[in-house]
Amino acid sequence: DAGVIQSPRHEVTEMGQEVTLRCKPISGHNSLFWYRQTMMRGLELLIYFNNNVPIDDSGMPEDRFSAKMPNASFSTLKIQPSEPRDSAVYFCASSWVDTEAFFGQGTRLTVV
Amino acid sequence: GESVGLHLPTLSVQEGDNSIINCAYSNSASDYFIWYKQESGKGPQFIIDIRSNMDKRQGQRVTVLLNKTVKHLSLQIAATQPGDSAVYFCAENMGYGGATNKLIFGTGTLLAVQP
């Protein structure tokens, strides 16, 4: 298995634009997580899914952020409209229930 | 203005020495704990895990100790090598019941290995 695959690896966008980050979890895993990492706040859990269903989205900063998981092999995190303070590295991770989570390489987002 | 970031605790050790990285967790109901290593420009990488019914678990050159009384975890790295230089995070599973995962990460510790 190639591991958790995220795309794009880098994204630079202008303030106000829509940004979509993509994630392909490890085949067979049933939990998927989206994290955001910044110098200010460290690694923050934004949302996690179990069996494609969002379980806890209390970490999503505001309504501009949304996440979907239409099937077991794909998830998106969308920011609309984007703001400079959204600049961060966004990680997707997946796991089998109650086991370690495997992380992707991350998407570095810069909003100018 | 100047931005203020998280102040990462830093542990500086000599190559060949043993390293001990500590972590305090928040939820006494957490039943599963994981140590991750993050190198610059990469995602966190699993090192070792431990469940709440254990006090100690050993891997290759690494040992995790769990003290539930004081909600404390430690990661011991034997014979530290330059390749061990990274930020180390502990994570606790705060999921509800046996069918969910909610991994919450600590702030991390920077391990700097001096040759």
Side-chain angles (χ1 to χ4, degrees):
Chain A
D1 199 311
V4 175
I5 299 173
Q6 292 185 246
S7 64
R9 288 295 310 278
H10 303 273
E11 176 81 32
V12 180
T13 191
E14 291 185 344
M15 182 174 61
Q17 296 298 305
E18 177 180 293
V19 175
T20 300
L21 311 181
R22 297 173 174 80
C23 175
K24 181 180 187 307
I26 292 173
S27 177
H29 282 182
N30 70 340
S31 294
L32 183 138
F33 311 80
W34 282 100
Y35 286 88
R36 177 172 69 176
Q37 188 172 38
T38 62
M39 288 295 294
M40 293 287 289
R41 302 174 68 91
L43 258 172
E44 301 173 274
L45 177 63
L46 301 178
I47 184 171
Y48 76 100
F49 295 82
N50 262 19
N51 297 317
N52 312 339
V53 176
I55 301 299
D56 188 332
D57 65 354
S58 59
M60 296 286 261
E62 44 194 282
D63 292 345
R64 297 184 297 107
F65 286 69
S66 62
K68 293 182 180 179
M69 192 165 185
N71 57 62
S73 58
F74 184 66
S75 177
T76 59
L77 177 68
K78 186 176 293 186
I79 308 172
Q80 165 64 15
S82 57
E83 297 182 3
R85 61 193 168 116
D86 301 331
S87 297
V89 180
Y90 290 81
F91 287 104
C92 176
S94 71
S95 76
W96 184 241
V97 62
D98 204 24
T99 63
E100 70 270 24
F102 292 83
F103 281 75
Q105 293 282 62
T107 295
R108 181 173 294 278
L109 173 65
T110 303
V111 183
V112 298
Chain B
E2 187 177 285
S3 64
V4 179
L6 283 175
H7 176 65
L8 277 183
T10 300
L11 176 64
S12 185
V13 299
Q14 291 293 125
E15 181 179 357
D17 287 351
N18 296 333
S19 303
I20 300 177
I21 301 171
N22 297 303
C23 174
Y25 64 91
S26 60
N27 187 350
S28 57
S30 294
D31 57 2
Y32 179 53
F33 305 89
I34 309 173
W35 279 99
Y36 283 89
K37 171 186 180 183
Q38 187 176 26
E39 296 172 294
S40 181
K42 297 184 178 180
Q45 180 182 9
F46 170 84
I47 302 173
I48 191 168
D49 58 1
I50 188 168
R51 300 194 181 273
S52 58
N53 61 352
M54 303 172 69
D55 297 322
K56 178 180 179 178
R57 189 161 189 229
Q58 288 184 289
Q60 187 177 13
R61 280 202 308 119
V62 294
T63 301
V64 55
L65 299 178
L66 174 62
N67 184 330
K68 295 180 286 294
T69 302
V70 295
K71 294 189 288 186
H72 183 268
L73 274 171
S74 68
L75 177 70
Q76 301 176 2
I77 304 174
T80 313
Q81 302 168 0
D84 295 327
S85 294
V87 177
Y88 289 79
F89 294 94
C90 66
E92 61 181 302
N93 180 22
M94 299 176 70
Y96 308 107
T100 56
N101 277 328
K102 183 175 181 179
L103 284 177
I104 303 298
F105 281 73
T107 54
T109 297
L110 175 62
L111 176 64
V113 182
Q114 309 302 324

